[in-house]
Amino acid sequence: MFNLILFGPPGSGKGTQSERLIAKYGLRHLSTGDLLRSEIAAQSPLGLAAKSYMDKGQLVPDEVVIEMISSALDNNPQAHGFLFDGFPRTTAQAEALDKLLAQKGTSIAIVLALQVSENELTKRLLNRGLTSGRSDDADEAVIRSRHGEYEKKTAAVADYYKKYGKVIYIKGEGDVDEIFQSLCKEIELRDRA
Ligand code: B4P
């Protein structure tokens, strides 16, 4: 099994690059943002609870997303590997993920961290907000709050994986194809089976 985390602040290109990576490497894509938006669309109790956080640009509580990922792992026993997109977003989530993967006899192989300046991030999200219909992209104050949450709670996740020598930084600004090639190079260097 080859499991990777695509890491980076909101708007850094995680969703964009994940689509290409899963197509190329046949990994199962687990995006907590997408899973939460499906719950909201289905108007499930989980979705209704998550919406109140997401609309304010805050992280959804750890226990909710950890439970969601745990079910997703159980529901995909045949997967050759997982691409985690937008998860883990806190150190508690990272610790929980390590435990869940260890129970399956596997682990995270690599964390690819996209680096993008804050100005560019804001520009991209406001631009996506023009067409995405996502309430968390439409308002600059909410986007600022998402960056604040990232700095306060999520940036530490990279430090957590650095202890194990698993983090590789990738320049996330510029041409989407070139960024994709840089990601592929790092994956292929890691000798995936
Ligand atoms: P996500 O769905 O993960 O939202 P995101 O970070 O904005 O997405 P992403 O970063 O993938 O977007 P992309 O750069 O691809 O989370 C939304 C919310 O859900 C969170 O705020 C939180 O409330 C909640 N949530 C999710 N996971 C959680 C967790 N684990 N714990 C707690 N809460 C959680 O795209 C951005 C834009 O940039 C696009 O328009 C794209 O076209 C553009 N773009 C991409 N690459 C580009 C490039 N190279 N150049 C120019 N534009 C580019």
Side-chain angles (χ1 to χ4, degrees):
M1 244 189 166
F2 182 83
N3 304 302
L4 78 90
I5 294 173
L6 197 53
F7 185 77
S12 54
K14 302 185 297 289
T16 305
Q17 297 295 341
S18 288
E19 276 182 33
R20 292 160 179 250
L21 291 170
I22 53 164
K24 177 158 180 170
Y25 296 111
L27 298 169
R28 180 80 177 87
H29 185 202
L30 289 185
S31 156
T32 39
D34 288 351
L35 290 169
L36 290 166
R37 281 184 289 277
S38 308
E39 295 285 343
I40 292 173
Q43 299 195 312
S44 70
L46 190 158
L48 294 176
K51 188 174 182 341
S52 61
Y53 294 95
M54 291 169 76
D55 282 350
K56 285 184 261 180
Q58 295 170 355
L59 292 185
V60 174
D62 284 338
E63 56 275 21
V64 175
V65 268
I66 290 168
E67 181 54 38
M68 221 171 54
I69 284 286
S70 174
S71 311
L73 290 175
D74 288 343
N75 290 337
N76 288 281
Q78 308 299 339
H80 299 303
F82 293 95
L83 188 165
F84 295 95
D85 161 9
F87 180 89
R89 262 178 155 99
T90 63
T91 305
Q93 292 181 17
E95 287 167 351
L97 178 61
D98 278 356
K99 272 195 202 133
L100 289 169
L101 292 177
Q103 282 162 13
K104 295 185 184 303
T106 184
S107 62
I108 292 297
I110 182 174
V111 178
L112 295 170
L114 293 165
Q115 292 188 297
V116 178
S117 71
E118 190 167 338
N119 276 349
E120 170 73 9
L121 294 169
T122 307
K123 206 169 74 187
R124 286 184 189 179
L125 293 180
L126 284 172
N127 192 37
R128 182 171 68 182
L130 297 175
T131 53
S132 68
R134 274 178 58 171
S135 50
D136 60 345
D137 284 345
D139 180 338
E140 200 165 338
V142 174
I143 292 174
R144 267 201 299 274
S145 152
R146 289 164 66 191
H147 291 318
E149 288 279 89
Y150 174 82
E151 295 298 339
K152 203 162 47 167
K153 300 175 183 168
T154 306
V157 172
D159 299 329
Y160 173 86
Y161 286 107
K162 263 192 231 166
K163 285 188 300 199
Y164 306 103
K166 293 186 175 178
V167 181
I168 310 285
Y169 288 97
I170 303 281
K171 183 169 164 267
E173 286 188 46
D175 184 62
V176 171
D177 285 334
E178 281 175 18
I179 298 166
F180 178 62
Q181 292 311 327
S182 309
L183 293 166
C184 293
K185 198 174 120 206
E186 294 300 337
I187 291 171
E188 281 157 28
L189 273 175
R190 256 112 211 126
D191 223 6
R192 43 188 312 275

Short mmCIF file of all heavy atoms in Angstrom, two decimals, residues 90-152:
data_model
loop_
_atom_site.label_atom_id
_atom_site.label_comp_id
_atom_site.label_asym_id
_atom_site.label_seq_id
_atom_site.Cartn_x
_atom_site.Cartn_y
_atom_site.Cartn_z
N THR A 90 -5.10 18.71 12.06
CA THR A 90 -4.62 19.00 13.42
C THR A 90 -3.69 17.85 13.81
O THR A 90 -3.76 16.76 13.22
CB THR A 90 -5.77 19.07 14.45
OG1 THR A 90 -6.39 17.78 14.51
CG2 THR A 90 -6.80 20.12 14.12
N THR A 91 -2.87 18.10 14.84
CA THR A 91 -1.97 17.03 15.30
C THR A 91 -2.79 15.85 15.83
O THR A 91 -2.42 14.70 15.62
CB THR A 91 -1.02 17.58 16.38
OG1 THR A 91 -0.37 18.72 15.81
CG2 THR A 91 0.03 16.58 16.78
N ALA A 92 -3.92 16.13 16.49
CA ALA A 92 -4.76 15.03 16.99
C ALA A 92 -5.26 14.17 15.83
O ALA A 92 -5.31 12.94 15.93
CB ALA A 92 -5.95 15.59 17.78
N GLN A 93 -5.61 14.80 14.71
CA GLN A 93 -6.05 14.03 13.54
C GLN A 93 -4.90 13.20 12.98
O GLN A 93 -5.08 12.06 12.54
CB GLN A 93 -6.59 14.96 12.45
CG GLN A 93 -7.90 15.66 12.81
CD GLN A 93 -8.43 16.56 11.69
OE1 GLN A 93 -8.03 16.48 10.54
NE2 GLN A 93 -9.35 17.45 12.05
N ALA A 94 -3.68 13.76 12.99
CA ALA A 94 -2.51 13.02 12.47
C ALA A 94 -2.24 11.79 13.33
O ALA A 94 -1.99 10.70 12.81
CB ALA A 94 -1.28 13.94 12.44
N GLU A 95 -2.34 11.97 14.65
CA GLU A 95 -2.10 10.83 15.55
C GLU A 95 -3.17 9.75 15.33
O GLU A 95 -2.86 8.56 15.29
CB GLU A 95 -2.12 11.30 17.01
CG GLU A 95 -0.86 12.08 17.35
CD GLU A 95 -0.96 12.85 18.67
OE1 GLU A 95 -2.07 12.91 19.25
OE2 GLU A 95 0.06 13.41 19.08
N ALA A 96 -4.42 10.20 15.17
CA ALA A 96 -5.51 9.24 14.95
C ALA A 96 -5.31 8.50 13.63
O ALA A 96 -5.52 7.28 13.54
CB ALA A 96 -6.85 9.96 14.95
N LEU A 97 -4.87 9.23 12.60
CA LEU A 97 -4.65 8.58 11.29
C LEU A 97 -3.55 7.54 11.39
O LEU A 97 -3.69 6.42 10.87
CB LEU A 97 -4.30 9.64 10.23
CG LEU A 97 -4.00 9.09 8.84
CD1 LEU A 97 -5.21 8.36 8.25
CD2 LEU A 97 -3.57 10.21 7.87
N ASP A 98 -2.47 7.88 12.05
CA ASP A 98 -1.37 6.90 12.21
C ASP A 98 -1.89 5.63 12.86
O ASP A 98 -1.53 4.52 12.46
CB ASP A 98 -0.23 7.50 13.04
CG ASP A 98 0.69 8.37 12.19
OD1 ASP A 98 0.47 8.43 10.96
OD2 ASP A 98 1.62 8.98 12.74
N LYS A 99 -2.73 5.79 13.89
CA LYS A 99 -3.27 4.60 14.60
C LYS A 99 -4.16 3.77 13.67
O LYS A 99 -4.05 2.55 13.63
CB LYS A 99 -4.10 5.03 15.81
CG LYS A 99 -3.26 5.21 17.04
CD LYS A 99 -4.13 5.28 18.29
CE LYS A 99 -3.32 6.00 19.37
NZ LYS A 99 -4.04 7.02 20.07
N LEU A 100 -5.05 4.46 12.93
CA LEU A 100 -5.96 3.74 12.02
C LEU A 100 -5.19 2.97 10.97
O LEU A 100 -5.50 1.82 10.65
CB LEU A 100 -6.92 4.73 11.33
CG LEU A 100 -8.00 5.36 12.21
CD1 LEU A 100 -8.69 6.50 11.47
CD2 LEU A 100 -9.03 4.30 12.61
N LEU A 101 -4.13 3.60 10.42
CA LEU A 101 -3.34 2.92 9.38
C LEU A 101 -2.54 1.77 9.98
O LEU A 101 -2.43 0.70 9.36
CB LEU A 101 -2.42 3.92 8.67
CG LEU A 101 -3.13 4.98 7.81
CD1 LEU A 101 -2.11 5.95 7.21
CD2 LEU A 101 -3.95 4.34 6.69
N ALA A 102 -2.03 1.97 11.20
CA ALA A 102 -1.25 0.89 11.85
C ALA A 102 -2.14 -0.34 12.05
O ALA A 102 -1.68 -1.47 11.86
CB ALA A 102 -0.68 1.38 13.17
N GLN A 103 -3.41 -0.10 12.39
CA GLN A 103 -4.35 -1.24 12.56
C GLN A 103 -4.49 -2.03 11.26
O GLN A 103 -4.84 -3.20 11.26
CB GLN A 103 -5.73 -0.73 12.99
CG GLN A 103 -5.79 -0.36 14.46
CD GLN A 103 -7.00 0.53 14.78
OE1 GLN A 103 -7.92 0.68 13.97
NE2 GLN A 103 -6.98 1.14 15.95
N LYS A 104 -4.25 -1.36 10.14
CA LYS A 104 -4.35 -2.04 8.85
C LYS A 104 -2.97 -2.51 8.36
O LYS A 104 -2.82 -2.90 7.20
CB LYS A 104 -4.98 -1.09 7.81
CG LYS A 104 -6.41 -0.74 8.16
CD LYS A 104 -7.06 0.10 7.10
CE LYS A 104 -8.46 0.50 7.54
NZ LYS A 104 -9.34 -0.64 7.87
N GLY A 105 -1.96 -2.36 9.20
CA GLY A 105 -0.61 -2.80 8.86
C GLY A 105 0.07 -1.92 7.84
O GLY A 105 0.93 -2.36 7.08
N THR A 106 -0.33 -0.64 7.80
CA THR A 106 0.29 0.26 6.82
C THR A 106 0.57 1.61 7.48
O THR A 106 0.36 1.77 8.69
CB THR A 106 -0.63 0.37 5.56
OG1 THR A 106 0.02 1.17 4.59
CG2 THR A 106 -1.98 0.98 5.88
N SER A 107 1.09 2.57 6.70
CA SER A 107 1.45 3.88 7.27
C SER A 107 1.51 4.92 6.15
O SER A 107 1.35 4.58 4.98
CB SER A 107 2.82 3.79 7.95
OG SER A 107 3.79 3.46 6.98
N ILE A 108 1.76 6.17 6.54
CA ILE A 108 1.95 7.24 5.55
C ILE A 108 3.36 7.14 4.98
O ILE A 108 4.33 7.08 5.74
CB ILE A 108 1.75 8.63 6.23
CG1 ILE A 108 0.29 8.84 6.65
CG2 ILE A 108 2.22 9.77 5.32
CD1 ILE A 108 -0.71 8.87 5.51
N ALA A 109 3.45 7.12 3.63
CA ALA A 109 4.78 7.03 3.00
C ALA A 109 5.41 8.41 2.88
O ALA A 109 6.63 8.57 3.04
CB ALA A 109 4.65 6.39 1.63
N ILE A 110 4.59 9.42 2.56
CA ILE A 110 5.15 10.72 2.22
C ILE A 110 4.09 11.82 2.42
O ILE A 110 2.90 11.58 2.19
CB ILE A 110 5.67 10.69 0.76
CG1 ILE A 110 6.32 11.99 0.35
CG2 ILE A 110 4.57 10.39 -0.21
CD1 ILE A 110 6.96 11.91 -1.05
N VAL A 111 4.56 13.00 2.83
CA VAL A 111 3.68 14.17 2.95
C VAL A 111 4.21 15.21 1.96
O VAL A 111 5.34 15.70 2.11
CB VAL A 111 3.71 14.76 4.38
CG1 VAL A 111 2.83 16.00 4.48
CG2 VAL A 111 3.28 13.71 5.40
N LEU A 112 3.42 15.52 0.94
CA LEU A 112 3.84 16.51 -0.04
C LEU A 112 3.15 17.83 0.33
O LEU A 112 1.92 17.92 0.34
CB LEU A 112 3.45 16.06 -1.45
CG LEU A 112 4.17 14.79 -1.92
CD1 LEU A 112 3.57 14.25 -3.20
CD2 LEU A 112 5.66 15.05 -2.11
N ALA A 113 3.97 18.83 0.66
CA ALA A 113 3.43 20.09 1.20
C ALA A 113 3.57 21.20 0.16
O ALA A 113 4.69 21.57 -0.22
CB ALA A 113 4.20 20.45 2.47
N LEU A 114 2.43 21.71 -0.28
CA LEU A 114 2.42 22.77 -1.30
C LEU A 114 2.62 24.13 -0.63
O LEU A 114 1.94 24.46 0.35
CB LEU A 114 1.08 22.76 -2.04
CG LEU A 114 0.83 21.53 -2.92
CD1 LEU A 114 -0.66 21.43 -3.32
CD2 LEU A 114 1.70 21.56 -4.16
N GLN A 115 3.56 24.91 -1.18
CA GLN A 115 3.84 26.23 -0.60
C GLN A 115 3.36 27.33 -1.54
O GLN A 115 3.80 27.41 -2.70
CB GLN A 115 5.34 26.38 -0.37
CG GLN A 115 5.84 25.46 0.73
CD GLN A 115 7.27 25.74 1.07
OE1 GLN A 115 8.15 25.58 0.23
NE2 GLN A 115 7.53 26.17 2.28
N VAL A 116 2.48 28.20 -1.01
CA VAL A 116 1.89 29.28 -1.81
C VAL A 116 1.76 30.51 -0.91
O VAL A 116 1.41 30.37 0.28
CB VAL A 116 0.49 28.87 -2.35
CG1 VAL A 116 -0.16 29.99 -3.14
CG2 VAL A 116 0.58 27.60 -3.21
N SER A 117 2.03 31.70 -1.44
CA SER A 117 1.95 32.91 -0.62
C SER A 117 0.49 33.23 -0.26
O SER A 117 -0.44 32.86 -1.00
CB SER A 117 2.55 34.10 -1.37
OG SER A 117 1.68 34.45 -2.42
N GLU A 118 0.32 33.97 0.85
CA GLU A 118 -1.05 34.23 1.31
C GLU A 118 -1.85 35.08 0.32
O GLU A 118 -3.04 34.87 0.12
CB GLU A 118 -1.03 34.89 2.70
CG GLU A 118 -2.44 34.94 3.26
CD GLU A 118 -2.53 35.27 4.74
OE1 GLU A 118 -1.54 35.08 5.46
OE2 GLU A 118 -3.60 35.73 5.13
N ASN A 119 -1.17 36.05 -0.34
CA ASN A 119 -1.87 36.88 -1.33
C ASN A 119 -2.45 36.04 -2.45
O ASN A 119 -3.59 36.21 -2.87
CB ASN A 119 -0.91 37.90 -1.96
CG ASN A 119 -0.78 39.11 -1.09
OD1 ASN A 119 -1.54 39.28 -0.14
ND2 ASN A 119 0.20 39.95 -1.40
N GLU A 120 -1.62 35.12 -2.93
CA GLU A 120 -2.05 34.24 -4.04
C GLU A 120 -3.21 33.34 -3.58
O GLU A 120 -4.17 33.11 -4.31
CB GLU A 120 -0.84 33.42 -4.52
CG GLU A 120 -1.16 32.28 -5.49
CD GLU A 120 -1.54 32.72 -6.90
OE1 GLU A 120 -1.41 33.91 -7.23
OE2 GLU A 120 -2.00 31.83 -7.68
N LEU A 121 -3.13 32.85 -2.33
CA LEU A 121 -4.19 31.97 -1.81
C LEU A 121 -5.53 32.71 -1.79
O LEU A 121 -6.56 32.19 -2.23
CB LEU A 121 -3.85 31.50 -0.38
CG LEU A 121 -2.63 30.58 -0.23
CD1 LEU A 121 -2.28 30.42 1.26
CD2 LEU A 121 -2.89 29.22 -0.85
N THR A 122 -5.50 33.93 -1.27
CA THR A 122 -6.74 34.72 -1.17
C THR A 122 -7.31 34.98 -2.56
O THR A 122 -8.52 34.85 -2.79
CB THR A 122 -6.46 36.05 -0.44
OG1 THR A 122 -5.84 35.73 0.79
CG2 THR A 122 -7.72 36.84 -0.18
N LYS A 123 -6.41 35.34 -3.48
CA LYS A 123 -6.84 35.63 -4.86
C LYS A 123 -7.53 34.40 -5.47
O LYS A 123 -8.61 34.48 -6.05
CB LYS A 123 -5.60 36.01 -5.68
CG LYS A 123 -5.86 36.90 -6.86
CD LYS A 123 -4.57 37.42 -7.45
CE LYS A 123 -3.84 36.32 -8.22
NZ LYS A 123 -2.51 36.71 -8.69
N ARG A 124 -6.91 33.22 -5.30
CA ARG A 124 -7.48 32.00 -5.88
C ARG A 124 -8.85 31.67 -5.29
O ARG A 124 -9.77 31.30 -6.01
CB ARG A 124 -6.56 30.80 -5.57
CG ARG A 124 -5.30 30.77 -6.39
CD ARG A 124 -4.55 29.49 -6.04
NE ARG A 124 -3.23 29.47 -6.61
CZ ARG A 124 -2.36 28.48 -6.45
NH1 ARG A 124 -2.68 27.44 -5.71
NH2 ARG A 124 -1.17 28.53 -7.01
N LEU A 125 -8.97 31.81 -3.98
CA LEU A 125 -10.24 31.40 -3.35
C LEU A 125 -11.36 32.37 -3.72
O LEU A 125 -12.49 31.95 -4.00
CB LEU A 125 -10.07 31.29 -1.84
CG LEU A 125 -9.14 30.14 -1.39
CD1 LEU A 125 -9.02 30.09 0.12
CD2 LEU A 125 -9.62 28.79 -1.91
N LEU A 126 -11.04 33.68 -3.75
CA LEU A 126 -12.07 34.65 -4.15
C LEU A 126 -12.50 34.39 -5.59
O LEU A 126 -13.67 34.46 -5.94
CB LEU A 126 -11.54 36.09 -4.00
CG LEU A 126 -11.48 36.62 -2.56
CD1 LEU A 126 -10.77 37.97 -2.52
CD2 LEU A 126 -12.89 36.74 -1.95
N ASN A 127 -11.53 34.05 -6.41
CA ASN A 127 -11.80 33.75 -7.80
C ASN A 127 -12.67 32.50 -7.93
O ASN A 127 -13.66 32.49 -8.67
CB ASN A 127 -10.44 33.56 -8.51
CG ASN A 127 -10.59 33.54 -10.00
OD1 ASN A 127 -11.41 34.28 -10.54
ND2 ASN A 127 -9.84 32.68 -10.65
N ARG A 128 -12.34 31.45 -7.16
CA ARG A 128 -13.17 30.24 -7.20
C ARG A 128 -14.58 30.54 -6.69
O ARG A 128 -15.56 29.99 -7.18
CB ARG A 128 -12.52 29.14 -6.35
CG ARG A 128 -13.30 27.83 -6.38
CD ARG A 128 -12.56 26.68 -5.72
NE ARG A 128 -12.42 26.87 -4.28
CZ ARG A 128 -11.77 26.02 -3.49
NH1 ARG A 128 -11.18 24.96 -3.99
NH2 ARG A 128 -11.69 26.25 -2.20
N GLY A 129 -14.66 31.44 -5.70
CA GLY A 129 -15.96 31.80 -5.12
C GLY A 129 -16.92 32.41 -6.13
O GLY A 129 -18.14 32.37 -5.94
N LEU A 130 -16.38 32.96 -7.23
CA LEU A 130 -17.25 33.57 -8.25
C LEU A 130 -18.13 32.52 -8.92
O LEU A 130 -19.22 32.81 -9.39
CB LEU A 130 -16.41 34.28 -9.33
CG LEU A 130 -15.55 35.46 -8.85
CD1 LEU A 130 -14.68 35.99 -9.98
CD2 LEU A 130 -16.44 36.57 -8.29
N THR A 131 -17.64 31.26 -8.96
CA THR A 131 -18.38 30.22 -9.68
C THR A 131 -18.70 28.98 -8.85
O THR A 131 -19.57 28.20 -9.22
CB THR A 131 -17.57 29.74 -10.92
OG1 THR A 131 -16.28 29.36 -10.46
CG2 THR A 131 -17.45 30.82 -11.97
N SER A 132 -18.00 28.76 -7.73
CA SER A 132 -18.14 27.47 -7.02
C SER A 132 -19.44 27.35 -6.23
O SER A 132 -19.85 26.24 -5.92
CB SER A 132 -16.97 27.28 -6.04
OG SER A 132 -17.06 28.22 -4.98
N GLY A 133 -20.03 28.47 -5.88
CA GLY A 133 -21.21 28.43 -5.01
C GLY A 133 -20.84 28.09 -3.58
O GLY A 133 -21.71 27.89 -2.74
N ARG A 134 -19.54 28.01 -3.27
CA ARG A 134 -19.13 27.68 -1.91
C ARG A 134 -19.15 28.93 -1.05
O ARG A 134 -18.45 29.91 -1.34
CB ARG A 134 -17.71 27.08 -1.92
CG ARG A 134 -17.71 25.60 -2.17
CD ARG A 134 -16.33 25.03 -2.22
NE ARG A 134 -15.54 25.26 -1.01
CZ ARG A 134 -14.37 24.70 -0.79
NH1 ARG A 134 -13.85 23.86 -1.67
NH2 ARG A 134 -13.71 24.96 0.32
N SER A 135 -19.94 28.89 0.03
CA SER A 135 -20.08 30.09 0.86
C SER A 135 -18.74 30.44 1.53
O SER A 135 -18.47 31.62 1.79
CB SER A 135 -21.16 29.88 1.91
OG SER A 135 -20.95 28.65 2.58
N ASP A 136 -17.88 29.43 1.77
CA ASP A 136 -16.61 29.74 2.44
C ASP A 136 -15.58 30.36 1.51
O ASP A 136 -14.52 30.79 1.95
CB ASP A 136 -16.04 28.49 3.17
CG ASP A 136 -15.76 27.31 2.24
OD1 ASP A 136 -16.26 27.32 1.10
OD2 ASP A 136 -15.04 26.39 2.67
N ASP A 137 -15.88 30.42 0.20
CA ASP A 137 -14.97 31.09 -0.74
C ASP A 137 -15.43 32.51 -1.08
O ASP A 137 -14.71 33.26 -1.73
CB ASP A 137 -14.91 30.31 -2.07
CG ASP A 137 -14.07 29.04 -1.97
OD1 ASP A 137 -13.30 28.90 -1.00
OD2 ASP A 137 -14.18 28.21 -2.88
N ALA A 138 -16.67 32.85 -0.70
CA ALA A 138 -17.26 34.08 -1.23
C ALA A 138 -16.88 35.33 -0.43
O ALA A 138 -16.95 36.44 -0.94
CB ALA A 138 -18.79 33.93 -1.27
N ASP A 139 -16.46 35.15 0.80
CA ASP A 139 -16.29 36.29 1.70
C ASP A 139 -14.84 36.36 2.19
O ASP A 139 -14.31 35.39 2.74
CB ASP A 139 -17.25 36.02 2.89
CG ASP A 139 -17.21 37.11 3.94
OD1 ASP A 139 -16.20 37.84 3.99
OD2 ASP A 139 -18.19 37.20 4.71
N GLU A 140 -14.21 37.51 1.98
CA GLU A 140 -12.78 37.63 2.30
C GLU A 140 -12.52 37.42 3.80
O GLU A 140 -11.50 36.85 4.19
CB GLU A 140 -12.24 38.99 1.84
CG GLU A 140 -10.74 38.94 1.72
CD GLU A 140 -10.13 40.10 0.94
OE1 GLU A 140 -10.84 40.73 0.13
OE2 GLU A 140 -8.94 40.36 1.18
N ALA A 141 -13.48 37.81 4.65
CA ALA A 141 -13.29 37.64 6.10
C ALA A 141 -13.25 36.15 6.46
O ALA A 141 -12.46 35.71 7.31
CB ALA A 141 -14.42 38.33 6.87
N VAL A 142 -14.09 35.35 5.78
CA VAL A 142 -14.11 33.90 6.04
C VAL A 142 -12.81 33.28 5.53
O VAL A 142 -12.21 32.41 6.18
CB VAL A 142 -15.35 33.24 5.37
CG1 VAL A 142 -15.30 31.73 5.50
CG2 VAL A 142 -16.63 33.77 5.99
N ILE A 143 -12.34 33.74 4.38
CA ILE A 143 -11.06 33.22 3.84
C ILE A 143 -9.93 33.53 4.81
O ILE A 143 -9.08 32.68 5.10
CB ILE A 143 -10.79 33.81 2.43
CG1 ILE A 143 -11.83 33.24 1.44
CG2 ILE A 143 -9.37 33.50 1.97
CD1 ILE A 143 -11.77 33.84 0.06
N ARG A 144 -9.95 34.75 5.37
CA ARG A 144 -8.90 35.12 6.36
C ARG A 144 -8.99 34.20 7.58
O ARG A 144 -7.97 33.77 8.12
CB ARG A 144 -9.06 36.59 6.78
CG ARG A 144 -8.20 37.53 5.91
CD ARG A 144 -7.95 38.86 6.63
NE ARG A 144 -9.20 39.54 6.90
CZ ARG A 144 -9.82 40.34 6.05
NH1 ARG A 144 -9.28 40.57 4.86
NH2 ARG A 144 -10.94 40.91 6.36
N SER A 145 -10.22 33.90 7.98
CA SER A 145 -10.38 33.02 9.14
C SER A 145 -9.86 31.62 8.83
O SER A 145 -9.24 30.95 9.68
CB SER A 145 -11.85 33.06 9.54
OG SER A 145 -12.23 31.91 10.13
N ARG A 146 -10.05 31.14 7.59
CA ARG A 146 -9.50 29.82 7.21
C ARG A 146 -7.98 29.84 7.27
O ARG A 146 -7.36 28.87 7.73
CB ARG A 146 -9.99 29.45 5.81
CG ARG A 146 -11.47 29.10 5.81
CD ARG A 146 -12.08 29.12 4.42
NE ARG A 146 -11.55 28.09 3.56
CZ ARG A 146 -11.78 28.04 2.25
NH1 ARG A 146 -12.52 28.99 1.67
NH2 ARG A 146 -11.29 27.06 1.53
N HIS A 147 -7.37 30.95 6.81
CA HIS A 147 -5.89 31.04 6.92
C HIS A 147 -5.46 31.05 8.38
O HIS A 147 -4.46 30.43 8.75
CB HIS A 147 -5.37 32.31 6.24
CG HIS A 147 -5.51 32.30 4.75
ND1 HIS A 147 -5.23 31.19 4.00
CD2 HIS A 147 -5.91 33.25 3.88
CE1 HIS A 147 -5.46 31.47 2.72
NE2 HIS A 147 -5.89 32.70 2.63
N GLY A 148 -6.24 31.75 9.21
CA GLY A 148 -5.92 31.83 10.65
C GLY A 148 -5.95 30.45 11.28
O GLY A 148 -5.06 30.08 12.04
N GLU A 149 -6.98 29.67 10.94
CA GLU A 149 -7.10 28.30 11.46
C GLU A 149 -5.91 27.47 11.00
O GLU A 149 -5.36 26.66 11.75
CB GLU A 149 -8.39 27.65 10.94
CG GLU A 149 -9.66 28.17 11.57
CD GLU A 149 -9.94 27.54 12.93
OE1 GLU A 149 -9.44 28.09 13.93
OE2 GLU A 149 -10.65 26.53 12.98
N TYR A 150 -5.51 27.67 9.75
CA TYR A 150 -4.37 26.92 9.21
C TYR A 150 -3.11 27.22 10.03
O TYR A 150 -2.41 26.30 10.46
CB TYR A 150 -4.15 27.27 7.72
CG TYR A 150 -2.90 26.61 7.17
CD1 TYR A 150 -2.93 25.28 6.75
CD2 TYR A 150 -1.69 27.30 7.10
CE1 TYR A 150 -1.79 24.66 6.28
CE2 TYR A 150 -0.54 26.69 6.64
CZ TYR A 150 -0.60 25.36 6.22
OH TYR A 150 0.54 24.74 5.77
N GLU A 151 -2.84 28.52 10.23
CA GLU A 151 -1.62 28.90 10.97
C GLU A 151 -1.67 28.37 12.40
O GLU A 151 -0.68 27.87 12.93
CB GLU A 151 -1.46 30.43 11.01
CG GLU A 151 -1.22 31.07 9.65
CD GLU A 151 0.07 30.60 8.98
OE1 GLU A 151 0.97 30.09 9.67
OE2 GLU A 151 0.15 30.70 7.74
N LYS A 152 -2.86 28.49 13.02
CA LYS A 152 -3.00 28.15 14.44
C LYS A 152 -3.00 26.63 14.67
O LYS A 152 -2.38 26.16 15.62
CB LYS A 152 -4.33 28.76 14.94
CG LYS A 152 -4.39 28.99 16.43
CD LYS A 152 -5.49 29.97 16.83
CE LYS A 152 -6.79 29.65 16.17
NZ LYS A 152 -7.98 30.26 16.61
#
